[in-house]
Amino acid sequence: MSQGFETRTLDITTGVAETVYDLTAECVSFLAEVADGRDGLLNVFTPHATMGVALIETGSGSDDDLLAALHHLLPADERWQHRHGSRGHGRDHVLPAFVAPHATLPVIGGELALGTWQSVCLVDTNKDNRERQVRLSLLS
């Protein structure tokens, strides 16, 4: 049975280069403040048409591998119908079909229940917009 709903919007600066931004610490901090030891679900959502949320190992090259794979699947060239912004920006609008703009994660005993090497990451290939928002919502 649901005991509560808590939500917070974070302002994140992802920078001027394509990036995989590790958001795990912000998720853990949010849960430490609001979960009060309860089980539930954490929803991570980014309200942007050119950004995604992924669970991935970071720091071992996997984040760079993800960006390389996205370059292979979605090249930053002139093939895209959507043509405003920097060269190849249309691919940024296709990204959320491959890396969804949300993830729902288990919370057990007030703590994020990730696997050993999993991190919660924002995937941002849009170099034209570096100021981003993320909504963290706990349903417990």
PDB file of all heavy atoms in Angstrom, residues 14-31:
ATOM      1  N   THR A  14      25.214  19.723 -18.120  1.00  0.00           N
ATOM      2  CA  THR A  14      25.914  18.582 -18.702  1.00  0.00           C
ATOM      3  C   THR A  14      27.140  18.988 -19.504  1.00  0.00           C
ATOM      4  O   THR A  14      27.964  18.150 -19.830  1.00  0.00           O
ATOM      5  CB  THR A  14      24.975  17.746 -19.594  1.00  0.00           C
ATOM      6  OG1 THR A  14      24.404  18.591 -20.593  1.00  0.00           O
ATOM      7  CG2 THR A  14      23.876  17.102 -18.769  1.00  0.00           C
ATOM      8  N   GLY A  15      27.275  20.259 -19.861  1.00  0.00           N
ATOM      9  CA  GLY A  15      28.470  20.712 -20.555  1.00  0.00           C
ATOM     10  C   GLY A  15      28.283  20.880 -22.047  1.00  0.00           C
ATOM     11  O   GLY A  15      27.180  20.734 -22.569  1.00  0.00           O
ATOM     12  N   VAL A  16      29.380  21.190 -22.734  1.00  0.00           N
ATOM     13  CA  VAL A  16      29.323  21.497 -24.163  1.00  0.00           C
ATOM     14  C   VAL A  16      29.712  20.303 -25.031  1.00  0.00           C
ATOM     15  O   VAL A  16      29.746  20.400 -26.238  1.00  0.00           O
ATOM     16  CB  VAL A  16      30.214  22.713 -24.505  1.00  0.00           C
ATOM     17  CG1 VAL A  16      29.686  23.953 -23.827  1.00  0.00           C
ATOM     18  CG2 VAL A  16      31.651  22.453 -24.116  1.00  0.00           C
ATOM     19  N   ALA A  17      30.009  19.180 -24.422  1.00  0.00           N
ATOM     20  CA  ALA A  17      30.363  17.961 -25.164  1.00  0.00           C
ATOM     21  C   ALA A  17      29.330  16.881 -24.858  1.00  0.00           C
ATOM     22  O   ALA A  17      28.655  16.921 -23.826  1.00  0.00           O
ATOM     23  CB  ALA A  17      31.755  17.475 -24.755  1.00  0.00           C
ATOM     24  N   GLU A  18      29.212  15.912 -25.754  1.00  0.00           N
ATOM     25  CA  GLU A  18      28.358  14.764 -25.493  1.00  0.00           C
ATOM     26  C   GLU A  18      28.833  14.094 -24.205  1.00  0.00           C
ATOM     27  O   GLU A  18      30.037  13.984 -23.969  1.00  0.00           O
ATOM     28  CB  GLU A  18      28.425  13.791 -26.656  1.00  0.00           C
ATOM     29  CG  GLU A  18      27.900  14.379 -27.930  1.00  0.00           C
ATOM     30  CD  GLU A  18      28.018  13.444 -29.102  1.00  0.00           C
ATOM     31  OE1 GLU A  18      28.572  12.345 -28.941  1.00  0.00           O
ATOM     32  OE2 GLU A  18      27.555  13.823 -30.181  1.00  0.00           O
ATOM     33  N   THR A  19      27.884  13.638 -23.398  1.00  0.00           N
ATOM     34  CA  THR A  19      28.300  13.122 -22.108  1.00  0.00           C
ATOM     35  C   THR A  19      27.373  12.040 -21.573  1.00  0.00           C
ATOM     36  O   THR A  19      26.197  11.974 -21.926  1.00  0.00           O
ATOM     37  CB  THR A  19      28.392  14.268 -21.070  1.00  0.00           C
ATOM     38  OG1 THR A  19      29.018  13.803 -19.889  1.00  0.00           O
ATOM     39  CG2 THR A  19      27.029  14.819 -20.725  1.00  0.00           C
ATOM     40  N   VAL A  20      27.939  11.213 -20.728  1.00  0.00           N
ATOM     41  CA  VAL A  20      27.193  10.311 -19.862  1.00  0.00           C
ATOM     42  C   VAL A  20      27.444  10.846 -18.457  1.00  0.00           C
ATOM     43  O   VAL A  20      28.557  10.775 -17.940  1.00  0.00           O
ATOM     44  CB  VAL A  20      27.678   8.850 -20.003  1.00  0.00           C
ATOM     45  CG1 VAL A  20      26.962   7.954 -19.010  1.00  0.00           C
ATOM     46  CG2 VAL A  20      27.459   8.356 -21.429  1.00  0.00           C
ATOM     47  N   TYR A  21      26.414  11.434 -17.864  1.00  0.00           N
ATOM     48  CA  TYR A  21      26.516  12.121 -16.577  1.00  0.00           C
ATOM     49  C   TYR A  21      26.000  11.197 -15.484  1.00  0.00           C
ATOM     50  O   TYR A  21      24.829  10.814 -15.491  1.00  0.00           O
ATOM     51  CB  TYR A  21      25.698  13.418 -16.632  1.00  0.00           C
ATOM     52  CG  TYR A  21      25.691  14.219 -15.363  1.00  0.00           C
ATOM     53  CD1 TYR A  21      26.574  15.271 -15.182  1.00  0.00           C
ATOM     54  CD2 TYR A  21      24.790  13.923 -14.341  1.00  0.00           C
ATOM     55  CE1 TYR A  21      26.564  16.015 -14.016  1.00  0.00           C
ATOM     56  CE2 TYR A  21      24.771  14.661 -13.170  1.00  0.00           C
ATOM     57  CZ  TYR A  21      25.662  15.704 -13.013  1.00  0.00           C
ATOM     58  OH  TYR A  21      25.650  16.435 -11.848  1.00  0.00           O
ATOM     59  N   ASP A  22      26.841  10.848 -14.539  1.00  0.00           N
ATOM     60  CA  ASP A  22      26.459   9.940 -13.457  1.00  0.00           C
ATOM     61  C   ASP A  22      25.598  10.685 -12.433  1.00  0.00           C
ATOM     62  O   ASP A  22      26.049  11.621 -11.773  1.00  0.00           O
ATOM     63  CB  ASP A  22      27.704   9.360 -12.791  1.00  0.00           C
ATOM     64  CG  ASP A  22      27.385   8.211 -11.850  1.00  0.00           C
ATOM     65  OD1 ASP A  22      26.223   8.089 -11.397  1.00  0.00           O
ATOM     66  OD2 ASP A  22      28.302   7.435 -11.551  1.00  0.00           O
ATOM     67  N   LEU A  23      24.368  10.259 -12.311  1.00  0.00           N
ATOM     68  CA  LEU A  23      23.372  10.887 -11.444  1.00  0.00           C
ATOM     69  C   LEU A  23      23.134  10.075 -10.164  1.00  0.00           C
ATOM     70  O   LEU A  23      22.294  10.437  -9.347  1.00  0.00           O
ATOM     71  CB  LEU A  23      22.063  11.020 -12.240  1.00  0.00           C
ATOM     72  CG  LEU A  23      20.926  11.835 -11.687  1.00  0.00           C
ATOM     73  CD1 LEU A  23      21.295  13.304 -11.623  1.00  0.00           C
ATOM     74  CD2 LEU A  23      19.687  11.640 -12.548  1.00  0.00           C
ATOM     75  N   THR A  24      23.883   9.012  -9.968  1.00  0.00           N
ATOM     76  CA  THR A  24      23.634   8.089  -8.850  1.00  0.00           C
ATOM     77  C   THR A  24      23.698   8.795  -7.502  1.00  0.00           C
ATOM     78  O   THR A  24      22.833   8.587  -6.649  1.00  0.00           O
ATOM     79  CB  THR A  24      24.623   6.911  -8.884  1.00  0.00           C
ATOM     80  OG1 THR A  24      24.614   6.329 -10.188  1.00  0.00           O
ATOM     81  CG2 THR A  24      24.255   5.856  -7.859  1.00  0.00           C
ATOM     82  N   ALA A  25      24.704   9.616  -7.287  1.00  0.00           N
ATOM     83  CA  ALA A  25      24.860  10.300  -5.989  1.00  0.00           C
ATOM     84  C   ALA A  25      23.654  11.186  -5.684  1.00  0.00           C
ATOM     85  O   ALA A  25      23.184  11.230  -4.533  1.00  0.00           O
ATOM     86  CB  ALA A  25      26.145  11.114  -5.970  1.00  0.00           C
ATOM     87  N   GLU A  26      23.122  11.864  -6.694  1.00  0.00           N
ATOM     88  CA  GLU A  26      21.947  12.710  -6.494  1.00  0.00           C
ATOM     89  C   GLU A  26      20.721  11.865  -6.146  1.00  0.00           C
ATOM     90  O   GLU A  26      19.906  12.254  -5.315  1.00  0.00           O
ATOM     91  CB  GLU A  26      21.673  13.565  -7.734  1.00  0.00           C
ATOM     92  CG  GLU A  26      22.663  14.694  -7.935  1.00  0.00           C
ATOM     93  CD  GLU A  26      23.842  14.329  -8.840  1.00  0.00           C
ATOM     94  OE1 GLU A  26      24.206  13.132  -8.907  1.00  0.00           O
ATOM     95  OE2 GLU A  26      24.391  15.241  -9.477  1.00  0.00           O
ATOM     96  N   CYS A  27      20.594  10.692  -6.770  1.00  0.00           N
ATOM     97  CA  CYS A  27      19.483   9.780  -6.451  1.00  0.00           C
ATOM     98  C   CYS A  27      19.594   9.277  -5.015  1.00  0.00           C
ATOM     99  O   CYS A  27      18.602   9.267  -4.271  1.00  0.00           O
ATOM    100  CB  CYS A  27      19.468   8.606  -7.423  1.00  0.00           C
ATOM    101  SG  CYS A  27      19.074   9.042  -9.121  1.00  0.00           S
ATOM    102  N   VAL A  28      20.790   8.874  -4.612  1.00  0.00           N
ATOM    103  CA  VAL A  28      21.023   8.376  -3.254  1.00  0.00           C
ATOM    104  C   VAL A  28      20.735   9.472  -2.228  1.00  0.00           C
ATOM    105  O   VAL A  28      20.089   9.223  -1.200  1.00  0.00           O
ATOM    106  CB  VAL A  28      22.464   7.832  -3.125  1.00  0.00           C
ATOM    107  CG1 VAL A  28      22.833   7.565  -1.681  1.00  0.00           C
ATOM    108  CG2 VAL A  28      22.623   6.564  -3.966  1.00  0.00           C
ATOM    109  N   SER A  29      21.181  10.685  -2.503  1.00  0.00           N
ATOM    110  CA  SER A  29      20.942  11.810  -1.591  1.00  0.00           C
ATOM    111  C   SER A  29      19.447  12.106  -1.445  1.00  0.00           C
ATOM    112  O   SER A  29      18.952  12.326  -0.335  1.00  0.00           O
ATOM    113  CB  SER A  29      21.692  13.040  -2.113  1.00  0.00           C
ATOM    114  OG  SER A  29      21.431  14.153  -1.308  1.00  0.00           O
ATOM    115  N   PHE A  30      18.736  12.111  -2.561  1.00  0.00           N
ATOM    116  CA  PHE A  30      17.288  12.332  -2.541  1.00  0.00           C
ATOM    117  C   PHE A  30      16.600  11.280  -1.673  1.00  0.00           C
ATOM    118  O   PHE A  30      15.775  11.616  -0.807  1.00  0.00           O
ATOM    119  CB  PHE A  30      16.743  12.297  -3.971  1.00  0.00           C
ATOM    120  CG  PHE A  30      15.244  12.302  -4.072  1.00  0.00           C
ATOM    121  CD1 PHE A  30      14.509  13.424  -3.720  1.00  0.00           C
ATOM    122  CD2 PHE A  30      14.561  11.191  -4.542  1.00  0.00           C
ATOM    123  CE1 PHE A  30      13.121  13.438  -3.825  1.00  0.00           C
ATOM    124  CE2 PHE A  30      13.182  11.187  -4.659  1.00  0.00           C
ATOM    125  CZ  PHE A  30      12.454  12.320  -4.297  1.00  0.00           C
ATOM    126  N   LEU A  31      16.961  10.014  -1.861  1.00  0.00           N
ATOM    127  CA  LEU A  31      16.339   8.944  -1.073  1.00  0.00           C
ATOM    128  C   LEU A  31      16.682   9.059   0.404  1.00  0.00           C
ATOM    129  O   LEU A  31      15.834   8.790   1.259  1.00  0.00           O
ATOM    130  CB  LEU A  31      16.746   7.578  -1.621  1.00  0.00           C
ATOM    131  CG  LEU A  31      16.180   7.234  -3.002  1.00  0.00           C
ATOM    132  CD1 LEU A  31      16.771   5.927  -3.507  1.00  0.00           C
ATOM    133  CD2 LEU A  31      14.654   7.177  -2.972  1.00  0.00           C
TER     134      LEU A  31
END
